[in-house]
Amino acid sequence: MSDVGLIDELSHDIATARATYDRLDAYYNGEHRLEALGLALPPELRKLRTVINWPRLVVDSLEERLDVEGFRAGESTELPDRLWQWWQVNRLDVEASLAHTEALVQGVAYIAVGVNEDDRDVPLFTVESSHAMTAKVNARTRRVESALRLYDFDDSGQAKAATLYLPDRTTYFELRSGRWVETQTVRHRLGVVPVVPVLNRARLRDRKGRSEMADVIPLTDAACRTLTNLQGAQEFLAIPQRYVLGASQEDFVGPDGKPKTQWEAYIGRFIAITNERAQIGQVAAADLRNFTQTVDSYARMVAGITGLPPHYLGFSSENPASADAIRSSESRLVKRAERRATAFGDAWEEAMRIGLLLIDKR
């Protein structure tokens, strides 16, 4: 397949997945708003829509435990020190955290290895989002066969430049008059593509990764809908409501001769009415605990699915838990973090191997 054909194929993969990635970003950022709010909520109250950001809690609770602290290479101390120097020069203490968050949110992130123009003895490591990068992986060897990064997007979302990564070279393209035109080729002859996917929750049948938020999104939608309905109920039912029988409009005229506003009537500013035939009564406020209890049920489901400790979701008791109880409640979360550390650590190991090839093979 030609380079242009490969660009078209890989860019199509990015475009196809973009809607899914945008939706996951909206959930993580707490920007997603439910469209279907149910029949109980009138359109006038849609401004009360509420978002509860459990997806970010699930992601950040894991990411906070995924810090790369160093490298080991048998009994050698020189090589780990060298790799750690590369790590610091590339500011990967910060960038690695971004890659881990992206992988947990989208299911995959990417590490690209290239030449550092400022220091030829240190490779350049950059982390890339799945919004603009994708890789084609061989199903048998699990090696990346090719990768594409799109950048320089215009207002319509069309990329004006692209970088194609192959085992023997890296080629740069620009979009001119609707066609991809090669502008530069760097022949690194590494024998491997200098791009490493950082996969989250990969499976044998799904090597593209899966978002850590996938299991909690339906429960988040349900909780958001319940809280939105709660706010609607608060507007009408949270305080006792007064009613008047047998009164006329003239009974609600102020001292200035003007009728009282609907707002004054709404907050119950009438205490007495001179009309002897009028009857004033009161309807008790509704008990809204059914809404809060429903949200608590959803929160417990989230805790059970994700392994988050109950106190992460706001559950607490009057008697503080002991240190052993706290550690026990976090055991599943710790184990999940260890699993992610193994998968993400393997990606960083592979990136460092490619960096060694790039520097030592010159």
Side-chain angles (χ1 to χ4, degrees):
M1 182 182 295
S2 66
D3 287 353
V4 173
L6 194 54
I7 291 176
D8 291 338
E9 178 185 340
L10 295 176
S11 60
H12 175 73
D13 292 342
I14 294 176
T16 301
R18 186 165 296 159
T20 299
Y21 292 149
D22 289 343
R23 176 174 175 268
L24 292 171
D25 272 346
Y27 272 103
Y28 178 76
N29 294 328
E31 298 169 349
H32 185 74
R33 296 295 187 271
L34 295 175
E35 297 298 331
L37 293 172
L39 299 177
L41 191 67
E44 293 80 4
L45 294 180
R46 291 188 178 180
K47 65 179 67 175
L48 300 178
R49 288 180 290 186
T50 304
V51 171
I52 182 169
N53 205 344
W54 285 337
R56 176 179 289 180
L57 174 64
V58 170
V59 169
D60 289 355
S61 298
L62 272 179
E63 195 283 323
E64 291 163 1
R65 290 165 166 76
L66 300 176
D67 293 329
V68 177
E69 298 180 348
F71 297 91
R72 290 183 297 181
E75 300 297 327
S76 172
T77 58
E78 179 181 353
L79 181 57
D81 290 344
R82 184 186 183 192
L83 299 182
W84 193 245
Q85 178 194 9
W86 293 357
W87 184 273
Q88 297 298 326
V89 169
N90 284 274
R91 299 181 65 247
L92 290 179
D93 285 332
V94 176
E95 295 296 303
S97 177
L98 299 180
H100 298 161
T101 299
E102 187 74 9
L104 292 170
V105 172
Q106 306 291 2
V108 61
Y110 297 93
I111 308 167
V113 187
V115 176
N116 191 335
E117 307 294 343
D118 298 327
D119 188 346
R120 308 291 291 189
D121 292 329
V122 177
L124 177 66
F125 297 93
T126 60
V127 295
E128 307 290 345
S129 168
S130 53
H131 280 274
M133 192 169 201
T134 189
K136 188 175 183 180
V137 180
N138 186 292
R140 184 176 67 87
T141 64
R142 302 185 300 280
R143 294 280 185 178
V144 176
E145 294 182 337
S146 58
L148 176 71
R149 181 170 74 94
L150 302 176
Y151 54 100
D152 192 15
F153 292 90
D154 60 19
D155 294 337
S156 65
Q158 174 63 53
K160 298 296 183 180
T163 303
L164 182 64
Y165 300 87
L166 296 171
D168 60 337
R169 57 189 167 86
T170 299
T171 306
Y172 301 87
F173 293 83
E174 289 183 0
L175 190 64
R176 298 175 183 174
S177 301
R179 299 180 60 186
W180 290 109
V181 178
E182 180 181 330
T183 59
Q184 182 184 3
T185 296
V186 177
R187 298 192 177 278
H188 51 71
R189 298 183 178 85
L190 294 175
V192 296
V193 177
V195 171
V196 182
V198 183
L199 293 173
N200 180 62
R201 297 177 68 179
R203 296 181 57 196
L204 292 177
R205 296 180 59 186
D206 181 11
R207 295 286 184 175
K208 296 182 179 180
R210 181 177 173 85
S211 173
E212 197 68 30
M213 306 182 302
D215 293 335
V216 302
I217 283 177
L219 292 172
T220 299
D221 287 345
C224 291
R225 186 175 294 108
T226 301
L227 288 176
T228 300
N229 289 334
L230 169 61
Q231 290 214 71
Q234 284 178 312
E235 287 290 314
F236 300 105
L237 306 174
I239 59 176
Q241 300 295 308
R242 292 176 179 174
Y243 64 86
V244 179
L245 301 177
S248 62
Q249 186 174 359
E250 288 74 16
D251 294 320
F252 297 94
V253 176
D256 56 358
K258 296 181 180 180
K260 293 185 177 181
T261 64
Q262 293 181 351
W263 172 247
E264 289 176 323
Y266 173 75
I267 62 175
R269 288 191 176 180
F270 57 90
I271 303 300
I273 295 179
T274 59
N275 190 333
E276 296 179 355
R277 293 174 298 176
Q279 297 180 7
I280 300 177
Q282 178 173 288
V283 178
D287 186 354
L288 303 180
R289 285 180 296 177
N290 58 323
F291 292 102
T292 58
Q293 289 171 355
T294 301
V295 173
D296 286 347
S297 296
Y298 292 142
R300 294 178 191 279
M301 294 178 192
V302 170
I305 290 173
T306 62
L308 291 178
H311 60 271
Y312 278 39
L313 294 160
F315 295 108
S316 60
S317 61
E318 296 180 357
N319 298 322
S322 65
D324 289 339
I326 293 174
R327 282 193 294 269
S328 176
S329 68
E330 294 186 354
S331 59
R332 280 189 62 201
L333 179 61
V334 170
K335 178 54 68 174
R336 289 174 62 236
E338 290 175 354
R339 296 291 192 213
R340 302 306 180 272
T342 300
F344 294 176
D346 183 72
W348 287 113
E349 289 175 13
E350 181 63 20
M352 290 298 168
R353 292 190 193 99
I354 295 175
L356 289 169
L357 280 175
L358 187 66
I359 297 301
D360 297 342
K361 197 174 181 179
R362 291 179 305 171

